[in-house]
Amino acid sequence: MNRIVEINEYIAEERKVLLQHPLYRRITTIKNLRAFTEGHVYAVWDFMSLLKALQIKLTCTSLPWFASEDPSTRYLINEIVLAEESDEYIDGRRLSHFEMYLDAMNVMGADLHMVNKFIHNAKKTGNIFDAIAFTTLDPRIKDFLNFTFEVITGGEVHKIAAAFTFGRENLIPEMFTSILEEIKANFPTVDLERFIYYFQRHIDLDGDEHGPLAMQMITDLAKDDETKWTEIKTVSKTALQKRIALWDAIEESL
């Protein structure tokens, strides 16, 4: 059996739960939508750390420069970094997707105090795990963040790639489409142009370009190593389980 197909079958139940999660149908008021963004923003933020960890591992970010081993993987990572860190926003500015999300939250009146305080503390302490512990976030949101940074600090690139690919890139197009369908149905007369733009950019980029390239990255990293393939399956399933718990936490906050 194709290894990628095998992984997708292994995580199929978790994907199904996420794609059909009742959270989406609960976002029926602007208050609900604000609360959703106030919980989801942490997943928007920590995605960049997964991506940057891959950039450090799979491209050359030190001096003197040397060509990294795999040009195709190098291209994938740099291409995604360019889009995620410096994409063109709806108003023509160049912003990271995280900054776009914060802007969309601000326009809709969501509370940015907690996430801004978290980012401030993460910078100030220099220890992400302490910064997570100091927050008053729901324990499931903390678990989601802790898992991301445990995978990153573990330093095993195939595990980081698994969390990135199957926990994010391969999931986002369908999951964000489910969210957008509910948003457009429930708020036909509300100006959510910036919020919708953010989600649509991810659907387009991850579905058409980044997702398929990320699958190739997984294959290139694991090759014929049975242990790596097993670990990729385990990390991928756990990443989705943490996302389900994150969604559960947000749903309960609405």
Side-chain angles (χ1 to χ4, degrees):
M1 180 185 295
N2 179 284
R3 295 289 196 171
I4 298 298
V5 172
E6 184 179 332
I7 293 172
N8 281 326
E9 290 184 358
Y10 185 70
I11 62 176
E13 186 57 37
E14 286 77 14
R15 280 180 57 85
K16 181 180 179 181
V17 171
L18 284 165
L19 295 178
Q20 300 177 0
H21 200 284
L23 166 64
Y24 315 139
R25 296 187 295 277
R26 291 285 307 279
I27 306 174
T28 57
T29 68
I30 286 296
K31 182 180 179 180
N32 292 156
L33 184 57
R34 290 170 183 154
F36 167 77
T37 63
E38 289 161 13
H40 177 236
V41 67
Y42 298 94
V44 176
W45 176 76
D46 79 341
F47 171 86
M48 279 303 302
S49 290
L50 279 172
L51 177 56
K52 284 294 184 175
L54 289 174
Q55 188 178 37
I56 291 167
K57 293 286 186 181
L58 298 173
T59 75
C60 184
T61 58
S62 59
L63 298 174
W65 175 87
F66 300 102
S68 54
E69 183 177 339
D70 190 327
S72 296
T73 301
R74 183 196 316 155
Y75 168 79
L76 162 70
I77 298 303
N78 286 331
E79 175 78 9
I80 297 177
V81 168
L82 176 63
E84 291 287 340
E85 198 168 35
S86 308
D87 203 3
E88 184 174 0
Y89 196 30
I90 195 169
D91 59 11
R93 286 181 293 165
R94 288 287 174 180
L95 295 176
S96 69
H97 285 185
F98 175 65
E99 290 167 315
M100 292 181 190
Y101 200 82
L102 291 181
D103 184 62
M105 288 178 67
N106 185 56
V107 168
M108 75 171 70
D111 187 355
L112 300 179
H113 174 74
M114 185 171 287
V115 66
N116 285 335
K117 183 178 179 181
F118 169 70
I119 298 297
H120 173 77
N121 287 340
K123 290 179 180 178
K124 183 178 179 180
T125 64
N127 185 313
I128 186 58
F129 295 105
D130 284 349
I132 294 168
F134 292 156
T135 70
T136 57
L137 291 167
D138 186 287
R140 290 163 291 187
I141 299 179
K142 291 186 179 185
D143 285 346
F144 182 88
L145 289 167
N146 278 319
F147 172 74
T148 295
F149 287 97
E150 285 164 4
V151 171
I152 290 171
T153 56
E156 296 182 83
V157 68
H158 65 288
K159 293 183 179 180
I160 300 170
F164 176 84
T165 301
F166 293 100
R168 308 296 178 101
E169 290 292 284
N170 190 44
L171 174 70
I172 282 174
E174 290 183 74
M175 184 174 68
F176 279 12
T177 297
S178 297
I179 295 173
L180 272 189
E181 287 174 353
E182 294 295 331
I183 297 301
K184 291 177 179 178
N186 290 326
F187 304 98
T189 62
V190 179
D191 182 8
L192 297 173
E193 187 178 28
R194 292 168 186 255
F195 182 75
I196 291 170
Y197 182 86
Y198 165 84
F199 275 84
Q200 194 62 55
R201 282 297 288 159
H202 268 280
I203 291 168
D204 294 342
L205 287 171
D206 296 341
D208 297 338
E209 302 175 32
H210 298 165
L213 290 171
M215 292 298 178
Q216 186 59 50
M217 174 180 64
I218 290 288
T219 300
D220 293 342
L221 289 173
K223 295 184 173 64
D224 295 321
D225 190 318
E226 291 293 336
T227 299
K228 287 184 177 179
W229 281 112
T230 298
E231 290 172 344
I232 286 169
K233 287 171 65 176
T234 300
V235 170
S236 299
K237 183 178 280 284
T238 304
L240 295 183
Q241 291 169 342
K242 297 295 182 182
R243 170 73 78 159
I244 292 169
L246 172 71
W247 267 189
D248 291 343
I250 295 173
E251 183 192 6
E252 290 174 22
S253 75
L254 300 185

